[in-house]
Amino acid sequence: MQNYVIRNISVVNEGRTTVQDVLIKDNRIEKIAPNITVNGNYTEINGEGKHLLPGVIDDQVHFREPGLTEKATIYSEARAAVAGGTTSFMEMPNTKPAALTQELLEDKYQIASQHALANYSFFMGAANDNVEEILKTNDKKDRVCGVKIFMGSSTGNMLVDNYLTLETVFSNSELLIATHCEDEKIIRRNMEAFKQAKGDALTAADHPLIRDVEACFESSLVAIQFAQKHHARLHILHISTARELQLFGNMMPLAEKRITAEVCVHHLHFTADDYAQYGNLIKCNPAIKAPENRDGLWEALLDDRLDIIATDHAPHTWAEKQLPYLQAPSGVPLVQHSLPLMLQYVKQGKISIEKVVEKMSHAPAICFQIKDRGYLREGYYADCVIVDMNAPATVEKQNIYYKCGWSPFEGHTFPASVTHTFVNGHLVYENGRFDESVKGMRMLFDRE
């Protein structure tokens, strides 16, 4: 394996930015120091004027394989991820077939081991009738990121609305429980009312009124009540409303929290005002809502009530997204552009680069207790990203790597760009070129 020394680069890590040399040897960061002398065969990279960040760890993606490979594959989406500076991902269970048994879960790990250019982990899926399979995951808590429960709308049979099932999982799971929280009864009630009022004239602009604030709040509240009752480790995904923020605290360090929350880049960027321009392209669950929600999410992100920034990357074909509102599927492809988007907000002065690293790299590592990743530390895996904060990059068809081939950011110019991505010390991406000779690793977890 090729070894590297990166010279005079601004290293962003653990709340500080310092100019250092960084030595990468045999998968790991060997040394970080102001001036490193090397002996032997090393490739030198001049990092002057650039920043070195720990690779992004995205705790919520849908890479669609197996079963929906016309939309995406683990190979295609992991490739897009590394081009955008995401070096590790945790993928959701609502594939076809859904990962509702230990055998189906391990099938996904097998696919990733052969095809993923990024590091990987997969959530065990929950349904109303697979409790026995879910609890077998307790024996794999050092090798599986968590259990995913859809406490709201989902594909197939993955909606968990049986309180006995929820009681059993929350009281017995030794893994982190990640939830999608939207109250299905409220959504169905709203949908019926809107259908009666507007019929086929429904559009994407109605989406946040159907999947409304109340649906999110009520479901999140129930999840938290279950977690508090059983002292479970709960992580609520993609918070989208200002009202839900009263449910989360910032009075203790992240490592001590039993209830944590994630915000996604599209809820930080778009608002309901954008449906006029993008329509179904930004239709997603939970919905992008009125502007006051985005304002609240930013405030809670910066004061640490929200712990992690992720994507909920969820690609669909362009043709599917052109269907009428009721037929068009929910989900947005985002994993290639999440870090460039957040660096845009750094350039605008809305968030510091150190805070971006905290929320996209450090916090996922703490939250999921990931072993030897998420930081630029000697001895840790060399998952790292070089970014040029002064190199604008325009999103165009030819540089969108998602299999679906489209992005809501097409035509947009980000003010900063990812130039190099290392995964386990392997330079997998450099200025638009990929070296696919080495695959990512299965993530491991430091859990008692």
Side-chain angles (χ1 to χ4, degrees):
M1 179 177 237
Q2 183 61 57
N3 298 320
Y4 297 87
V5 59
I6 306 169
R7 300 285 189 193
N8 300 314
I9 196 158
S10 294
V11 174
V12 185
N13 190 57
E14 299 182 74
R16 300 173 63 231
T17 300
T18 55
V19 177
Q20 307 273 7
D21 289 356
V22 178
L23 187 66
I24 296 173
K25 182 181 179 183
D26 300 335
N27 295 132
R28 300 201 181 234
I29 297 170
E30 177 87 358
K31 191 171 186 182
I32 302 172
N35 293 289
I36 296 175
T37 304
V38 294
N39 298 307
N41 186 21
Y42 286 85
T43 298
E44 290 213 7
I45 296 174
N46 179 13
E48 196 168 347
K50 298 186 176 71
H51 290 74
L52 187 73
L53 319 180
V56 171
I57 302 172
D58 194 331
D59 76 346
Q60 188 188 185
V61 301
H62 300 264
F63 284 0
R64 303 302 186 199
E65 195 172 4
L68 296 164
T69 51
E70 72 280 3
K71 300 175 192 280
T73 63
I74 288 171
Y75 163 74
S76 66
E77 308 313 281
R79 186 171 182 265
V82 297
T86 293
T87 56
S88 301
F89 64 86
M90 301 176 219
E91 206 260 359
M92 291 294 151
N94 54 326
T95 44
K96 285 191 177 178
L100 296 174
T101 69
Q102 295 300 319
E103 184 181 9
L104 290 168
L105 179 64
E106 288 305 320
D107 285 349
K108 293 173 78 169
Y109 280 103
Q110 188 59 36
I111 295 167
S113 71
Q114 297 174 31
H115 299 292
L117 298 180
N119 305 311
Y120 50 87
S121 192
F122 295 91
F123 283 90
M124 177 64 189
N128 281 326
D129 56 1
N130 76 328
V131 168
E132 196 173 308
E133 286 291 318
I134 295 168
L135 297 182
K136 288 179 186 175
T137 321
N138 287 345
D139 295 333
K140 299 180 178 180
K141 57 178 176 281
D142 61 335
R143 291 177 290 135
V144 174
C145 53
V147 172
K148 170 66 182 292
I149 303 179
F150 287 89
M151 294 177 66
S153 158
S154 178
T155 51
N157 66 332
M158 292 194 68
L159 171 62
V160 181
D161 54 5
N162 183 316
Y163 269 53
L164 184 58
T165 301
L166 292 169
E167 283 277 355
T168 306
V169 175
F170 274 92
S171 60
N172 289 284
S173 177
E174 296 173 18
L175 280 76
L176 176 148
I177 299 168
T179 55
H180 175 140
C181 288
E182 290 183 284
D183 187 291
E184 190 68 16
K185 293 190 196 71
I186 294 171
I187 293 167
R188 286 176 182 161
R189 182 189 71 205
N190 291 343
M191 178 62 84
E192 284 310 308
F194 270 79
K195 278 183 176 177
Q196 286 182 10
K198 299 183 72 171
D200 292 338
L202 284 170
T203 70
D206 298 309
H207 197 56
L209 305 175
I210 294 166
R211 309 186 78 93
D212 64 7
V213 170
E214 183 190 6
C216 294
F217 179 84
E218 291 300 326
S219 184
S220 290
L221 180 60
V222 168
I224 288 170
Q225 287 169 338
F226 272 112
Q228 289 175 333
K229 178 180 178 181
H230 298 291
H231 198 57
R233 175 68 186 88
L234 171 66
H235 183 58
I236 302 187
L237 303 168
H238 45 45
I239 298 297
S240 63
T241 78
R243 190 177 173 203
E244 287 169 283
L245 301 172
Q246 65 186 274
L247 300 173
F248 305 103
N250 57 5
M251 300 300 287
M252 63 178 71
L254 176 56
E256 296 175 21
K257 288 185 179 183
R258 297 294 293 171
I259 296 170
T260 51
E262 167 208 278
V263 64
C264 289
V265 290
H266 48 297
H267 293 123
L268 291 171
H269 183 68
F270 297 108
T271 75
D273 295 344
D274 293 309
Y275 289 112
Q277 178 178 350
Y278 295 98
N280 292 331
L281 296 185
I282 59 167
K283 180 188 177 187
C284 57
N285 303 337
I288 291 162
K289 297 179 175 69
E292 63 268 18
N293 295 288
R294 180 180 64 179
D295 296 343
L297 294 173
W298 269 105
E299 184 181 328
L301 176 69
L302 296 173
D303 74 14
D304 297 332
R305 283 172 289 157
L306 294 172
D307 302 293
I308 288 174
I309 298 172
T311 63
D312 192 17
H313 172 82
H316 297 284
T317 66
W318 179 259
E320 287 173 315
K321 281 293 196 175
Q322 304 313 302
L323 294 169
Y325 164 72
L326 288 171
Q327 284 78 54
S330 294
V332 187
L334 292 159
V335 75
Q336 185 184 337
H337 302 108
S338 58
L339 180 58
L341 178 61
M342 295 313 297
L343 295 178
Q344 173 176 304
Y345 284 112
V346 171
K347 294 281 282 191
Q348 292 174 6
K350 194 154 183 97
I351 188 171
S352 70
I353 195 168
E354 293 85 2
K355 197 74 170 175
V356 168
V357 164
E358 176 194 330
K359 297 298 185 181
M360 300 186 86
S361 305
H362 302 340
I366 295 168
C367 191
F368 287 85
Q369 298 170 276
I370 301 169
K371 191 175 174 62
D372 294 352
R373 303 190 189 279
Y375 294 85
L376 299 176
R377 289 176 176 168
E378 293 176 0
Y380 270 50
Y381 285 107
D383 297 338
C384 36
V385 179
I386 298 176
V387 300
D388 189 335
M389 295 299 291
N390 298 303
T394 301
V395 180
E396 299 170 316
K397 270 276 186 275
Q398 60 266 31
N399 61 29
I400 295 171
Y401 298 115
Y402 311 130
K403 186 170 183 181
C404 68
W406 66 273
S407 164
F409 295 110
E410 188 173 345
H412 179 75
T413 299
F414 291 111
S417 55
V418 172
T419 62
H420 301 66
T421 303
F422 295 86
V423 177
N424 307 309
H426 171 64
L427 183 56
V428 66
Y429 175 82
E430 180 181 9
N431 294 313
R433 296 185 301 276
F434 294 87
D435 180 345
E436 302 182 8
S437 61
V438 179
K439 301 302 182 280
M441 295 181 180
R442 181 171 180 161
M443 286 191 282
L444 299 176
F445 304 88
D446 265 328
R447 292 170 178 156
E448 294 296 320

